Amino acid sequence: MSTESILKDTSIAFLESYLNNASPTGYESEGQKLWMNYLKPYVDTFITDTYGTAVGVINPDAPFKVVIEGHADEISWYVNYITDDGLLYVIRNGGSDHQIAPSKRVHIHTKKGIVKGVFGWPAIHTRLRDKEESPKISNIFIDLGCETKEQVEAMGVHVGCVITYPDEFMILNENKFVCRAIDNRMGGFMIAEVARLLKENKKELPFGLYIVNSVQEEIGLRGAEMIAQTIKPNVAIVTDVCHDTTTPMIDKKVEGDLKMGKGPVIAYAPAVQNRLRDLIVDIAEENKIPFQRHATSRATGTDTDAFAYSNGGVASALISLPLRYMHTTVEMVHRDDVENVIKLIYESLLKIENNETFSYFK
């Protein structure tokens, strides 16, 4: 592929709208509609399932099936309790970070529309200096500007309403993409760009390609578990995010030595099929695509695990995007890494032929 940028202005415009849209776990439908609308010119058909996973398919009649996958959901909160004086207490929906909540603005999703609020926090002047409390699930709360529980309920807010942050997409220093929910709607974006490149470059694949945007990864890989049973793929290449470990307070001896801007991260783990991983490494080297390696021990913690152990075993691999500040509202990735993940998946697809390539005992 050319060394020029593969991301068009229309690609970035889609990325911005896709990231800015709220798609909390269990409520991904609006984001999935945006994604499918963007992907539609590049696929032959779509599959959707009961819980909202969306799949664009190229060559749907081919017997050999290859998946490329990201997940669509973002972390969020649920309303758990409403006090008599109109304050809301919350529980997690996914791995939401309680420490970043105080003073954040929020959107509460109701049948009447978005209700705006803020995570309140006592002023520094009023906190005990010798016994200062830290934010925790039991003491963070949301203020809607209401004075009673009845006022809250009149707005359409009730226990079970989902809560997201409204923080929107921006670009820092020309090449850093910043937003909440880059974990992992950037994955959905990257696999959609792979489909676009295949179409624009008129590439014919000898297999069925299933471009999968799974739901409910943040609460246990649930969407991937379900769609793997539907598709029954032969091969799965999953993309997600991993930690850039070069920022303060991260121990590289524990988390590995990974940095955004140095390329996609290829995972080493029991769920990663060795021959598929080695093929991807060879392709990166042949195409001069920079890459990094990461050992993830027993589990990858990504949808790779769900695909790998489904249907009697699916040859699976994980290509990750280095990210700073995971599960915050300022998640950050490098544009070069985004482009190189797209290139690596694209080039890998052009080398996959059949399942014999990945025979364990070949």
Side-chain angles (χ1 to χ4, degrees), residues 38-144:
Y38 181 75
L39 190 64
K40 188 175 181 179
Y42 313 125
V43 299
D44 297 324
T45 189
F46 282 97
I47 298 170
T48 57
D49 70 9
T50 302
Y51 279 87
T53 289
V55 185
V57 188
I58 299 171
N59 301 336
D61 297 327
F64 191 76
K65 301 174 183 180
V66 176
V67 160
I68 57 174
E69 193 260 9
H71 72 81
D73 59 322
E74 65 181 290
I75 57 170
S76 56
W77 303 97
Y78 277 122
V79 176
N80 188 49
Y81 174 66
I82 306 172
T83 70
D84 290 339
D85 51 359
L87 299 175
L88 313 181
Y89 284 82
V90 300
I91 57 172
R92 291 186 175 99
N93 184 19
S96 303
D97 189 344
H98 55 280
Q99 294 199 59
I100 71 162
S103 82
K104 295 295 298 180
R105 302 181 185 202
V106 297
H107 283 172
I108 302 172
H109 299 261
T110 79
K111 288 186 176 180
K112 295 183 177 181
I114 298 293
V115 174
K116 295 181 179 181
V118 298
F119 271 109
W121 193 245
I124 189 170
H125 317 72
T126 66
R127 302 199 297 266
L128 295 175
R129 307 301 191 274
D130 59 343
K131 192 180 178 183
E132 190 166 38
E133 280 200 76
S134 299
K136 46 186 184 260
I137 290 291
S138 61
N139 66 12
I140 58 174
F141 62 92
I142 292 174
D143 190 334
L144 303 183

Side-chain angles (χ1 to χ4, degrees), residues 1-6 287-288 336 339-340 343:
M1 295 184 67
S2 170
T3 56
E4 295 180 1
S5 173
I6 60 175
N287 290 275
K288 296 182 171 53
D336 290 352
E339 298 207 18
N340 281 319
K343 291 176 184 176

Side-chain angles (χ1 to χ4, degrees), residues 338-350:
V338 172
E339 298 207 18
N340 281 319
V341 169
I342 295 167
K343 291 176 184 176
L344 186 52
I345 296 174
Y346 174 89
E347 296 292 347
S348 296
L349 292 177
L350 299 182

Side-chain angles (χ1 to χ4, degrees), residues 176-204:
K176 309 302 189 305
F177 297 149
V178 177
C179 196
R180 66 175 218 293
I182 286 178
D183 173 15
N184 180 35
R185 285 210 288 284
M186 188 63 79
F189 169 75
M190 292 187 297
I191 59 176
E193 289 298 282
V194 171
R196 175 179 67 80
L197 291 172
L198 290 169
K199 183 74 170 184
E200 292 178 354
N201 294 334
K202 298 180 172 59
K203 297 296 183 181
E204 298 290 334

